[in-house]
Amino acid sequence: MRTALLHGRELAYREAGDGEGKPTLLLIHGMAGSSVTWRELIPRLESHFHILAPDLPGHGQSSLEFDDYSLGAMASALRDLLVAKGVTRCTVVGQSLGGGVAMQFVYQYPEFCERIVLIGSGGLGREVNWILRLLAVPGAELLLSAAAAPWFVNAGNAVRRFLGDKGIRAEAMAEAWAAYESLGRPGHRRAFFKTLRSVVDNRGQAVSATNRLHLAGRLPFQLIWGDRDPIIPVSHGHATHEAIPGSRLAIVEGSGHYPHVEDPAAVERIIVEFMTGTEPGHIDHSTPGADMATDPRAAD
């Protein structure tokens, strides 16, 4: 892990595959997650690409003192990281919440973007798992404070270790539990609720990128979805694919919300084929409609 100091606050990130001439992948994790989610994918991709995998503000090892956890603020933090690293162009890869951040990043800073890869992405439809809708209701933090108490988390970890000793592995369950475990820490729990309520309400996803697909569609666009995703339905992937001419959709069979963890070989193959089979796109200020993307009010 490394850290970059951005406006007085630390943003943690992983970096791999640094080398002259390699295209950069910006890997953006999901809600209550961290860059650890890319542990299976980074070793598979670092020989091909320069990889930056940040912990979003309020997540992982990044500072818990960020003031704003909206998609726009997170996109701005990622732009600041790229500037600090001297990266001027990248392919944005976002999973779940990270997909929504990726789309917002493209909208605000299109000049940085070459391609888009979305994995089980948020922001592409209303439907979302009922648990997230429940947690978005005011007062839910009191319930979660008890449910994420250290004794409960420790008991869950003991069960996971027992199952692991018996040779039982469930990568999706482990990934979901890691996110849940982080909520046992009050600072991360506060950041989680601020982030969640910026994108989800009791009726479902409250932020939509569908009215911005015309801009994202100017770049090579790859969608990846697990066919058993219980958090965000695969129908969102199909609808977005149909809405963006020339986009690609890959369904990872037998995977849920974390295909990059559940079947990293398949996701590696999809990304490498996408990167090698497409030319970097470019959206500049002369592109019709792109002027709106650089307006600071775009994050509102």
Side-chain angles (χ1 to χ4, degrees):
M1 293 297 293
R2 305 179 183 183
T3 58
L5 191 63
L6 308 178
H7 310 295
R9 297 175 178 85
E10 288 190 340
L11 191 79
Y13 66 95
R14 299 174 190 273
E15 185 171 16
D18 197 5
E20 189 69 28
K22 286 184 178 179
T24 296
L25 299 181
L26 178 64
L27 306 183
I28 312 172
H29 65 78
M31 184 92 65
S34 74
S35 57
V36 174
T37 195
W38 307 111
R39 62 192 176 276
E40 299 289 342
L41 203 56
I42 289 176
R44 295 171 176 271
L45 296 176
E46 62 182 338
S47 62
H48 304 283
F49 311 109
H50 170 223
I51 297 170
L52 288 174
D55 287 353
L56 289 170
H59 293 70
Q61 296 183 38
S62 288
S63 171
L64 300 173
E65 303 303 322
F66 285 84
D67 300 319
D68 188 349
Y69 293 96
S70 66
L71 296 183
M74 290 190 177
S76 295
L78 297 182
R79 186 278 311 271
D80 291 344
L81 174 63
L82 293 181
V83 170
K85 296 297 298 181
V87 175
T88 58
R89 305 273 288 151
C90 69
T91 292
V92 288
V93 182
Q95 189 266 335
S96 194
L97 169 73
V101 176
M103 291 291 288
Q104 184 68 31
F105 183 85
V106 174
Y107 186 69
Q108 290 179 215
Y109 308 110
E111 66 275 14
F112 280 87
C113 303
E114 294 182 335
R115 302 175 182 84
I116 304 170
V117 180
L118 302 183
I119 305 174
S121 176
L124 299 176
R126 189 68 171 166
E127 296 84 4
V128 71
N129 184 275
W130 67 270
I131 294 177
L132 292 179
R133 299 200 309 271
L134 176 64
L135 291 175
V137 174
E141 51 265 68
L142 299 176
L143 175 64
L144 190 59
S145 295
W151 68 267
F152 187 83
V153 171
N154 290 337
N157 284 331
V159 172
R160 286 183 55 208
R161 287 193 295 272
F162 173 79
L163 295 176
D165 291 341
K166 298 298 182 181
I168 300 173
R169 295 188 62 194
E171 296 297 343
M173 183 181 296
E175 192 70 13
W177 182 261
Y180 176 73
E181 185 180 26
S182 74
L183 302 181
R185 300 186 288 275
H188 285 88
R189 191 159 60 244
R190 285 192 297 271
F192 165 77
F193 277 106
K194 288 182 179 180
T195 303
L196 175 68
R197 288 167 180 165
S198 72
V199 294
V200 173
D201 59 27
N202 64 328
R203 295 177 297 171
Q205 296 189 66
V207 176
S208 175
T210 54
N211 63 340
R212 302 172 185 178
L213 295 180
H214 67 283
L215 181 65
R218 299 179 188 274
L219 299 173
F221 200 116
Q222 174 73 63
L223 294 150
I224 303 173
W225 232 279
D227 67 341
R228 300 180 181 179
D229 192 330
I231 305 297
I232 302 176
V234 67
S235 60
H236 291 194
H238 287 289
T240 304
H241 176 50
E242 292 176 4
I244 302 179
S247 63
R248 302 183 181 196
L249 173 62
I251 305 299
V252 183
E253 295 185 3
S255 288
H257 193 52
Y258 307 99
H260 59 293
V261 174
E262 299 169 70
D263 195 347
V267 174
E268 172 201 7
R269 183 183 68 253
I270 294 163
I271 291 178
V272 171
E273 289 179 355
F274 173 63
M275 294 291 292
T276 57
T278 58
E279 293 296 323
H282 186 78
I283 302 174
D284 58 32
H285 298 288
S286 64
T287 303
D291 55 331
M292 292 182 60
T294 57
D295 187 333
R297 293 169 296 176
D300 293 339

